[in-house]
């Protein structure tokens, strides 16, 4: 389904990788710089998993009406969740009236077929029918976790128009992510997501192609700040959990230190990082959290 609208169709939940390999020696990154890149990747996975759920249930009138009419067809859940057991979804008010509040309740946990468990609630206030120019979705969370990572705060998404070739959405978010080791990241983001392919098939996510552009800022619990800025728009597809193309720059405490290239369109977790004129290959996914806890 066309949840992919903003979503980058992150088919994924978050897997918490251990850091068995020290990338510092391979890339000449300092421990702080390595933490920046890996924590951003882990945070993106968390946000993409939750965002995908929002789009899954609110991206089309057909989707919302399924729950308005209390049909709750099992095929909605069968391809997304293990054993077809998805969250409980309520819409208030039912019928054609807007605004609406859509509550997605995962209870103690719902398992995704691509791995990971989501628990708690996502609450979405929808101002107008999907694909209405200027329509917004205000998203908040209640005791919400992707795997063991807690998300709180809010996001506002705005649909900025439609035509025959692409659909564009803006997103402003202010979130707090708390990791199981005690790490807390304050994450603010201003992004544009453009759905360039796949919107003709609102119930098929595998043909979605989304371009992502914008800035993400972080502040750690010890006051360290870092950010990621898009140089070349990032490409996500509904068929891959990873970003497959695009280039971003990273800064730490206001100073740019590296440029990351996500690749040539291949679905994998391999990227290249350039620092001080030298480029090396790295694996995105492992998280370094020890530094922020010191």
């Amino acid at each position: 389904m066309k949840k992919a609208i903003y979503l980058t169709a992150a088919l994924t939940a978050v897997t918490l990788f251990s850091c068995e390999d020290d990338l510092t020696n391979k890339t000449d990154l300092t421990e702080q710089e390595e933490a920046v890149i890996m924590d951003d990747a882990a945070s993106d996975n968390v946000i993409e998993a939750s965002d995908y759920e929002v789009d899954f249930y609110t991206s089309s009138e057909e989707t919302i009406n399924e729950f308005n009419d209390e049909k709750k067809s099992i095929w909605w859940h069968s391809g997304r969740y293990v054993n077809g057991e998805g969250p409980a979804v309520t819409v208030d008010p039912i019928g054609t009236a807007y605004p609406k509040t859509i509550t997605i309740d995962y209870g103690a946990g719902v398992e995704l077929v691509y791995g990971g468990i989501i628990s708690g609630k996502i609450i979405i206030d929808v101002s107008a029918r999907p694909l209405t120019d200027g329509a917004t979705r205000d998203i908040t969370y209640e005791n919400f976790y992707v795997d063991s990572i807690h998300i709180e705060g809010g996001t506002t998404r705005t649909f900025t128009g439609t035509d025959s070739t692409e659909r564009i959405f803006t997103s402003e978010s202010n979130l707090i992510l708390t990791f199981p080791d005690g790490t807390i990241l304050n994450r603010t983001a201003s992004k544009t997501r453009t759905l360039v392919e796949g919107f003709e098939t609102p119930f098929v996510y595998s043909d979605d192609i989304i371009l992502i552009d914008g800035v993400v800022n972080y502040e750690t619990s010890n006051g360290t700040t870092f950010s990621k800025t898009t140089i070349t728009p990032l490409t996500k597809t509904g068929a891959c959990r990873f970003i497959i193309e695009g280039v971003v720059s990273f800064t730490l405490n206001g100073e740019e230190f590296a440029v990351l290239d996500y690749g040539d369109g291949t679905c994998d977790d391999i990227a290249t990082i350039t620092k001080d004129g030298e480029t090396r290959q790295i694996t995105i996914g492992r998280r370094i959290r020890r530094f922020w806890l010191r």
Side-chain angles (χ1 to χ4, degrees):
M1 102 156 296
K2 201 77 330 225
K3 335 81 199 199
I5 303 193
Y6 322 72
L7 232 306
T8 113
L11 314 166
T12 90
V14 176
T15 302
L16 301 183
F17 295 91
S18 63
C19 183
E20 298 173 354
D21 298 324
D22 185 355
L23 300 182
T24 303
N25 293 331
K26 297 179 181 180
T27 62
D28 296 325
L29 295 172
T30 68
E31 186 178 7
Q32 276 186 306
E33 292 167 349
E34 185 181 352
V36 165
I37 293 169
M38 296 308 166
D39 281 353
D40 171 72
S43 299
D44 267 359
N45 281 343
V46 172
I47 301 306
E48 297 299 349
S50 60
D51 281 354
Y52 190 76
E53 294 293 299
V54 171
D55 287 338
F56 191 99
Y57 290 104
T58 66
S59 62
S60 71
E61 192 74 16
E62 298 97 315
T63 308
I64 294 173
N65 285 338
E66 281 283 320
F67 294 96
N68 273 339
D69 298 338
E70 299 183 350
K71 296 176 184 177
K72 298 181 173 61
S73 303
I74 189 63
W75 70 268
W76 277 107
H77 292 151
S78 60
R80 174 69 175 160
Y81 309 103
V82 171
N83 298 323
E85 298 176 359
V89 181
T90 57
V91 180
D92 183 29
I94 62 173
T96 59
Y98 284 86
K100 294 182 185 294
T101 298
I102 300 173
T103 302
I104 311 171
D105 187 351
Y106 300 86
V110 170
E111 186 175 358
L112 303 173
V113 295
Y114 297 102
I117 296 174
I118 300 178
S119 61
K121 295 180 181 179
I122 302 176
I123 301 156
I124 311 153
D125 292 319
V126 183
S127 70
R129 294 180 61 186
L131 306 184
T132 300
D133 190 25
T136 60
R137 303 176 197 175
D138 291 321
I139 304 157
T140 54
Y141 307 91
E142 183 177 310
N143 196 32
F144 183 73
Y145 290 81
V146 177
D147 287 340
S148 53
I149 301 172
H150 184 231
I151 303 175
E152 54 188 321
T155 299
T156 297
R157 297 180 183 165
T158 305
F159 178 64
T160 60
T162 182
D163 60 34
S164 61
T165 59
E166 62 184 21
R167 291 175 178 173
I168 301 172
F169 301 81
T170 61
S171 176
E172 302 287 336
S173 63
N174 191 342
L175 303 173
I176 300 172
L177 281 65
T178 303
F179 290 81
D181 62 7
T183 300
I184 297 175
L185 294 179
N186 292 282
R187 182 185 190 273
T188 60
S190 180
K191 294 185 176 182
T192 299
R193 281 182 163 82
T194 303
L195 180 60
V196 295
E197 290 187 22
F199 54 80
E200 303 92 344
T201 52
F203 300 108
V204 178
Y205 63 78
S206 60
D207 61 356
D208 295 341
I209 298 179
I210 307 99
L211 300 181
I212 307 164
D213 197 359
V215 178
V216 182
N217 297 301
Y218 296 90
E219 183 174 358
T220 71
S221 49
N222 70 356
T224 300
T225 60
F226 58 97
S227 65
K228 176 178 69 177
T229 302
T230 305
I231 298 174
T232 302
L234 308 181
T235 301
K236 292 278 287 187
T237 70
C240 184
R241 64 174 293 178
F242 304 108
I243 295 170
I244 62 171
E245 287 183 288
V247 181
V248 299
S249 65
F250 284 98
T251 65
L252 176 61
N253 293 324
E255 297 292 330
E256 181 179 308
F257 67 88
V259 172
L260 188 71
D261 187 331
Y262 286 93
D264 61 1
T266 303
C267 179
D268 59 31
D269 59 354
I270 302 301
T272 57
I273 189 162
T274 300
K275 179 185 177 184
D276 298 331
E278 295 194 11
T279 299
R280 292 176 172 82
Q281 181 176 286
I282 65 171
T283 300
I284 296 295
R286 297 183 176 87
R287 294 191 298 110
I288 306 297
R289 300 222 157 273
R290 298 181 300 274
F291 176 81
W292 309 128
L293 294 175
R294 293 177 184 173

